[in-house]
């Protein structure tokens, strides 16, 4: 099988899975290079989108055990996004209180 045959045989379902995996890997890569932190909004968005796309791929191909891992990954990313929002709200409140005193 040559490269052309491989590219022609890739389905939409495969593209969904590859995109999800790429998002998770690139998020990890950006953290490793110091471009993002583990508390970065974009890191959490990458993880949530990647895990969701991987979960859809796994559901469509019937890979239920890995789908559970993707579901857990998405839940952790959602928790990360909610804690990001809470940190942001706390920072805004602290700034508002500081501005009131100042």
């Amino acid at each position: 099988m040559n490269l052309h045959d491989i590219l022609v045989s890739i389905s939409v379902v495969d593209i969904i899975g590859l995109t999800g995996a790429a998002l998770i890997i690139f998020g990890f890569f950006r953290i490793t290079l110091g471009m993002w932190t583990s508390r970065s909004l974009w890191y959490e968005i990458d993880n949530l989108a990647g895990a969701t796309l991987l979960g859809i791929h796994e559901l469509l191909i019937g890979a239920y055990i890995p789908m559970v891992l993707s579901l857990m990954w998405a839940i952790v990313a959602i928790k990360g996004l909610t804690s990001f929002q809470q940190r942001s709200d706390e920072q805004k409140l602290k700034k508002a209180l500081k501005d009131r005193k100042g």
Side-chain angles (χ1 to χ4, degrees):
M1 187 180 266
N2 61 33
L3 181 61
H4 177 267
D5 293 338
I6 293 170
L7 292 176
V8 170
S9 69
I10 293 176
S11 69
V12 172
V13 174
D14 293 331
I15 292 170
I16 290 170
L18 288 170
T19 302
L23 284 169
I24 290 173
I25 294 297
F26 286 137
F28 179 69
F29 181 71
R30 290 177 185 120
I31 287 212
T32 302
L33 292 181
M35 298 168 71
W36 290 347
T37 69
S38 61
R39 297 174 71 150
S40 166
L41 172 65
W42 289 110
Y43 177 63
E44 298 299 348
I45 290 171
D46 254 15
N47 275 322
L48 179 58
T52 301
L53 290 173
L54 271 177
I56 291 168
H57 172 262
E58 293 152 354
L59 176 66
L60 293 174
I61 67 168
Y64 302 114
I65 294 172
M67 187 181 72
V68 172
L69 175 62
S70 294
L71 177 62
M72 294 297 115
W73 199 293
I75 290 170
V76 170
I78 290 169
K79 174 60 179 144
L81 284 170
T82 58
S83 67
F84 179 85
Q85 181 62 45
Q86 289 169 347
R87 289 191 307 271
S88 178
D89 291 345
E90 289 170 4
Q91 289 172 350
K92 287 177 187 175
L93 180 60
K94 286 178 185 177
K95 184 180 182 323
L97 290 173
K98 183 179 176 184
D99 290 345
R100 269 181 123 186
K101 290 179 183 178

